[in-house]
Amino acid sequence: MIDRRAFYEKRAAVRAREADRYYHRLLQNYFRFLIPPGLRVLEIGCGLGDLLAAVKPARGLGVDFSPGMLKLARERHPNLEFQTADAIQFSSPEKFDYIILSDLVNDLPDVQAVLEQLHDVATPGTRLVINFFNNLWRPILRAAEKLDAKAPTVLQNWLSTDDMANLLYLAGWEIIKTDTRILWPVNTPLLAPLLNRWAAPLVPHFCVTVVMVARPRPQPAARPQFRCSVVIPARNEAGNIEAAVQRTPEMGLGTEIIFIEGHSKDNTWDEIHRVAALYPHRQIKILKQQTKGKGGAVREAFAAATGDILFILDADLTMPPEELPKFYEVARSGAADFVNGVRLVYPMEEEAMQFLNMIANKCFGLTFSWLLGQNIKDTLCGTKVLFRADYEAIARNRAYFGDFDPFGDFDLIFGAAKLNLRMVDLPIRYRARTYGSTNIHRWSHGWLLLRMVLFAARRMKFLA
């Protein structure tokens, strides 16, 4: 049997082939998008350390079993730390925010054992990022090695996406999202950028590498309790304010209700004050919106919230406030980092949603599931729930997308996907409005939503 260590020691001393260098450059670009900078990052099988350096960690630790490879890595990246160890034998008292296994699982003699071992250096919030070769490319890569167009490898594991998903499950990890990258791994002028940026997202089954992001699967335990903040943006909703207070339940360690009034033409502002005085036993905050749009209202209210878990409740009460405890239980159980309400499962009341709006919502759901790499059925349901710490991380990274969303839903969804938060749909029974009229204009807002989808596709899927 071939000595794997000796093989990679020899390979470390040989200049990488051009095809490999281009392939790894594309991977580095994608991992920069995938992993926010300034975190604690561990890479197992780090090789020369270029990928670890590319994600700009605050603390970066690379582990590889090849001393020759790590000697070169230390010369190239003196700001990172490198340790010599086999993947199965590595241990550390440190915990990391991200763990990278890039093109490693194909080489491991026992993939499940390594995945299980990684729990020792993970927290419940850790994200594991794995990429491995698509089985469809197996004969092509073998031929490239024989033609000396690709650096050689020893006998590989050839894992399908289902194989890898099963191994992650057996080892106690839960997949958050799956993506594919790189349609043309050879640096061919004009052709390679065209295929890798624009064509690859449209033909995912033909891409070279499969990428999976996972988190430790939540374990049954005593569930903690949290403080809650329910944000209710209110514009021309005077007739719904008292019902919102009456019907919003107390949850966890306490629930504050935050009304933020947004340039109403009726007496919504006065009604909020009247209701707050009428229910002094409820913790009610009142804000006057300074910005425009529901998105601005939500941001202002979240900034004033004191709860551990943040809720958005539309003031029209078409999502029954009585269902908010369901969202709370999903969040506090650890089953999701981001809970998204879904109106498209249970039958709706008549006139709750027009037929064309329903079709558009279903189409947006399919589009966003493709964009995010996670299933999300209803992007425009107003009820969304997430932890305040996660929202603050979204806000810190908002510059990546910019201030492009007047509704607020997409700002949160894209931000959560960018941070690899686990999103879960929660079906609700959608009711018809009993007071006032909708603030949504089908055609003008529909065109705006389509523009936002195209913008997000460029920032999340069609990467340079």
Side-chain angles (χ1 to χ4, degrees):
M1 180 179 290
I2 189 170
D3 185 336
R4 301 173 75 90
R5 189 185 304 273
F7 177 89
Y8 282 106
E9 289 283 5
K10 181 178 179 181
R11 180 178 168 184
V14 178
R15 184 182 180 188
R17 302 294 190 266
E18 175 62 26
D20 285 347
R21 290 211 302 272
Y22 179 65
Y23 167 80
H24 289 134
R25 251 191 342 263
L26 294 175
L27 271 186
Q28 290 164 28
N29 288 340
Y30 181 60
F31 272 69
R32 284 192 196 99
F33 159 78
L34 202 61
I35 301 177
L39 300 177
R40 298 165 299 168
V41 182
L42 166 68
E43 184 180 7
I44 306 292
C46 65
L48 297 175
D50 294 340
L51 179 59
L52 181 61
V55 301
K56 299 180 179 178
R59 158 70 171 145
L61 175 60
V63 176
D64 201 283
F65 74 166
S66 167
M69 194 81 78
L70 293 184
K71 181 175 183 290
L72 295 174
R74 292 186 182 99
E75 294 171 358
R76 294 162 74 96
H77 308 292
N79 58 317
L80 302 177
E81 181 183 340
F82 297 95
Q83 292 184 15
T84 305
D86 285 321
I88 189 62
Q89 297 171 344
F90 171 74
S91 64
S92 172
E94 276 191 89
K95 306 291 184 181
F96 295 88
D97 302 307
Y98 274 79
I99 303 171
I100 299 173
L101 304 182
S102 180
D103 291 332
L104 179 68
V105 293
N106 297 101
D107 285 325
L108 294 175
D110 191 336
V111 177
Q112 181 181 340
V114 171
L115 296 176
E116 290 172 350
Q117 181 82 359
L118 292 177
H119 284 288
D120 292 342
V121 291
T123 71
T126 294
R127 295 298 182 259
L128 172 64
V129 185
I130 298 173
N131 72 281
F132 53 96
F133 288 123
N134 180 353
N135 257 329
L136 186 66
W137 278 76
R138 182 173 187 170
I140 300 172
L141 296 176
R142 283 282 179 85
E145 287 186 24
K146 290 180 179 179
L147 294 172
D148 205 30
K150 178 188 178 300
T153 58
V154 295
L155 192 62
Q156 299 270 290
N157 308 321
W158 282 93
L159 300 164
S160 69
T161 301
D162 288 341
D163 291 333
M164 199 63 235
N166 185 56
L167 285 165
L168 285 164
Y169 175 80
L170 292 173
W173 295 87
E174 177 183 47
I175 294 175
I176 294 175
K177 64 183 177 185
T178 302
D179 201 359
T180 57
R181 290 283 142 184
I182 309 174
L183 187 60
W184 189 258
V186 181
N187 190 8
T188 309
L190 299 179
L191 180 64
L194 176 66
L195 293 178
N196 290 320
R197 180 171 188 179
W198 301 109
L202 304 176
V203 286
H205 298 297
F206 295 95
C207 290
V208 176
T209 192
V210 180
V211 183
M212 289 182 169
V213 180
R215 67 171 187 166
R217 194 163 66 241
Q219 300 299 314
R223 297 179 177 181
Q225 295 285 351
F226 298 97
R227 293 174 294 112
C228 302
S229 295
V230 178
V231 167
I232 307 177
R235 182 173 181 265
N236 300 325
E237 299 286 0
N240 290 323
I241 301 303
E242 186 166 2
V245 174
Q246 291 172 336
R247 295 171 58 188
T248 298
E250 287 286 342
M251 296 173 286
L253 299 176
T255 300
E256 68 174 356
I257 300 173
I258 304 177
F259 285 105
I260 178 160
E261 190 277 324
H263 318 295
S264 298
K265 295 180 180 178
D266 66 2
N267 64 325
T268 298
W269 178 249
D270 294 333
E271 180 65 4
I272 294 173
H273 282 276
R274 184 191 74 80
V275 170
L278 195 61
Y279 296 88
H281 62 286
R282 299 302 302 268
Q283 186 181 350
I284 299 175
K285 286 184 179 179
I286 303 173
L287 302 175
K288 189 79 168 178
Q289 185 177 353
Q290 304 302 311
T291 55
K292 292 183 179 181
K294 180 185 173 184
V298 169
R299 291 185 190 183
E300 290 181 43
F302 276 3
T306 61
D308 306 301
I309 301 179
L310 306 177
F311 299 70
I312 304 172
L313 176 68
D314 283 345
D316 59 14
L317 304 186
T318 51
M319 202 301 291
E322 293 83 358
E323 297 203 29
L324 290 177
K326 292 182 182 179
F327 289 82
Y328 174 73
E329 290 300 329
V330 171
R332 85 180 184 102
S333 71
D337 304 306
F338 185 104
V339 192
N340 181 63
V342 177
R343 303 164 294 176
L344 308 176
V345 174
Y346 297 133
M348 301 180 191
E349 290 186 349
E350 280 191 48
E351 301 181 0
M353 185 183 296
Q354 296 182 21
F355 177 74
L356 289 179
N357 289 12
M358 180 182 295
I359 296 299
N361 278 318
K362 288 181 178 290
C363 291
F364 277 120
L366 292 171
T367 302
F368 274 78
S369 295
W370 169 73
L371 272 178
L372 307 178
Q374 298 193 56
N375 288 329
I376 185 164
K377 193 177 182 73
D378 185 3
T379 58
L380 286 171
C381 179
T383 306
K384 292 175 171 55
V385 176
L386 70 165
F387 284 89
R388 182 154 59 102
D390 288 330
Y391 171 73
E392 289 169 351
I394 290 173
R396 287 194 299 271
N397 287 275
R398 186 169 279 140
Y400 183 80
F401 294 105
D403 186 6
F404 73 106
D405 175 19
F407 304 101
D409 302 281
F410 301 98
D411 174 69
L412 295 176
I413 290 171
F414 292 146
K418 179 71 170 64
L419 294 177
N420 300 303
L421 301 184
R422 171 76 164 122
M423 291 187 276
V424 169
D425 283 341
L426 195 156
I428 58 138
R429 290 195 173 273
Y430 193 53
R431 309 296 187 187
R433 175 187 276 274
T434 59
Y435 172 87
S437 58
T438 181
N439 293 310
I440 298 295
H441 304 287
R442 181 192 301 166
W443 299 111
S444 60
H445 285 161
W447 171 242
L448 179 58
L449 290 171
L450 182 59
R451 287 170 55 196
M452 288 195 294
V453 168
L454 295 174
F455 170 79
R458 291 193 63 183
R459 299 295 286 164
M460 298 190 70
K461 209 72 176 178
F462 298 103
L463 301 174

